[in-house]
Amino acid sequence: MNLAAPPPPTFQPPVQQQPMGKSLSTAALAAVAILAFFIIGLIYVYIFVFSQMDIISAYWWSGFVGFIFAFIFYLVHAAVEEPVTRIISGTFFVLGAMFFYAAIGFGSGDPNSKILWLIVLSVIVLVVLLFVWRMAAQGAADEQRRAMRKRTP
């Protein structure tokens, strides 16, 4: 009579697979991004080609559109926390600021109003850069705190 118990099964950790929802949300985000860039491209084409505006007005409207889309993509970044959305947001902010600077620099008008608008725009750019720097510093501190935590199984 054999009283020996069979050996216990060896422990095999579960295979970590990417959840179906994550790949589906990435594909959906990519589709939305492609549509968004197509629509944004059409907006800029309309401003510069079909609107019949003078170039200074087109620069002003393009700067305004750039700032609006920078804000929209910043909100998208806050919701999904994908790094690419932060880059896109920054790109639209730089594009908007560039068009505003071009409208101010190439526009006609008295030098006093140009200087005033340059100062206002530069202050806005500096404030946004300070906010971005502060958010990056807070993100690094958060990552450091998470890394210091001990994970228990």
Side-chain angles (χ1 to χ4, degrees):
M1 184 164 152
N2 187 2
L3 296 176
T10 59
F11 174 74
Q12 294 180 356
V15 177
Q16 296 288 335
Q17 294 179 352
Q18 188 176 14
M20 182 62 173
K22 181 73 172 169
S23 64
L24 184 62
S25 68
T26 303
L29 183 64
V32 167
I34 290 170
L35 285 173
F37 280 118
F38 182 71
I39 292 169
I40 293 167
L42 287 176
I43 290 171
Y44 279 111
V45 166
Y46 177 77
I47 289 173
F48 283 107
V49 177
F50 298 114
S51 69
Q52 304 292 323
M53 285 189 268
D54 62 305
I55 194 68
I56 303 305
S57 297
Y59 284 161
W60 276 107
W61 277 105
S62 296
F64 183 67
V65 167
F67 276 11
I68 286 175
F69 282 114
F71 181 69
I72 288 170
F73 276 104
Y74 173 75
L75 292 178
V76 170
H77 173 69
V80 298
E81 295 183 2
E82 291 283 336
V84 71
T85 55
R86 184 175 178 181
I87 294 168
I88 294 170
S89 175
T91 302
F92 275 112
F93 177 76
V94 169
L95 188 69
M98 180 188 71
F99 278 124
F100 275 137
Y101 278 121
I104 293 168
F106 295 135
S108 61
D110 66 312
N112 293 330
S113 66
K114 279 187 177 187
I115 290 173
L116 178 66
W117 279 112
L118 285 173
I119 291 171
V120 168
L121 183 58
S122 297
V123 167
I124 290 171
V125 168
L126 286 175
V127 167
V128 169
L129 289 176
L130 282 173
F131 280 138
V132 168
W133 173 76
R134 184 65 186 145
M135 286 188 308
Q138 286 176 342
D142 289 345
E143 287 298 318
Q144 187 177 17
R145 280 192 295 275
R146 283 188 203 115
M148 292 174 56
R149 293 183 190 152
K150 292 184 179 180
R151 305 249 180 210
T152 57

